[in-house]
Amino acid sequence: QRLKAAVHYTVGCLCQDVAEDKDMQFSKQTIAAISEITFRQCENFAKDLEMFARHAKRSTVTTEDVKLLARRSNSLLKYITQKSEELASSNMEQKEKKKKKKSSAAKGGRTSGEQAPAVTESEDSNMA
């Protein structure tokens, strides 16, 4: 119920912004209808994403599943792909910083025979 109310509130805010921009008004019934459609579509998206992951024999939804879901909307697919690449790039930069910190700490505190692991389990799980 709280999620549905949050969707309704957000749709109301968006409708208000559009109404001000286009100098028009939305009735409460129209906002309620848009909210209901939006909520149902999100439920369908969630089910589809779950099915895509299950079909690939995974229990986790990945960005590739989201891209597959958005495949019919070129602009949405382009946006999701761009954001996904930005996130991947940001994650790689953070990992490089961690590796540099670990290697500089390892030089000071380890003997010549010991080496720091290249990728930790938590870092590896971020790749998925």
Side-chain angles (χ1 to χ4, degrees):
Q1 284 301 91
R2 285 179 25 184
L3 183 58
K4 211 171 197 178
V7 169
H8 183 77
Y9 174 77
T10 303
V11 167
C13 291
L14 290 170
C15 286
Q16 186 176 1
D17 291 347
V18 170
E20 290 171 4
D21 189 45
K22 302 292 182 186
D23 194 29
M24 57 183 289
Q25 291 184 343
F26 289 89
S27 70
K28 290 183 180 181
Q29 293 86 355
T30 302
I31 294 171
I34 294 170
S35 298
E36 186 63 28
I37 291 168
T38 302
F39 192 80
R40 287 184 187 177
Q41 189 63 45
C42 287
E43 286 179 326
N44 289 337
F45 285 166
K47 289 174 186 172
D48 286 347
L49 289 170
E50 186 180 354
M51 290 298 136
F52 293 160
R54 188 177 298 165
H55 179 74
K57 296 178 178 34
R58 288 183 275 104
S59 59
T60 304
V61 172
T62 66
T63 55
E64 293 305 312
D65 297 323
V66 177
K67 289 177 190 177
L68 182 61
L69 181 72
R71 71 192 180 280
R72 291 193 179 111
S73 171
N74 289 333
S75 59
L76 181 58
L77 180 58
K78 184 178 178 182
Y79 179 81
I80 289 171
T81 301
Q82 177 188 353
K83 288 297 178 184
S84 173
E85 289 170 358
E86 287 174 12
L87 284 171
S89 173
S90 174
N91 285 343
M92 291 302 265
E93 288 173 8
Q94 288 177 351
K95 286 180 185 178
E96 288 300 319
K97 287 179 184 178
K98 285 181 182 179
K99 283 182 183 179
K100 287 180 182 177
K101 285 182 183 179
K102 285 182 181 180
S103 65
S104 64
K107 288 179 183 175
R110 295 184 183 268
T111 64
S112 61
E114 294 177 320
Q115 292 182 351
V119 178
T120 64
E121 184 177 334
S122 63
E123 288 174 336
D124 193 35
S125 65
N126 288 336
M127 297 284 285

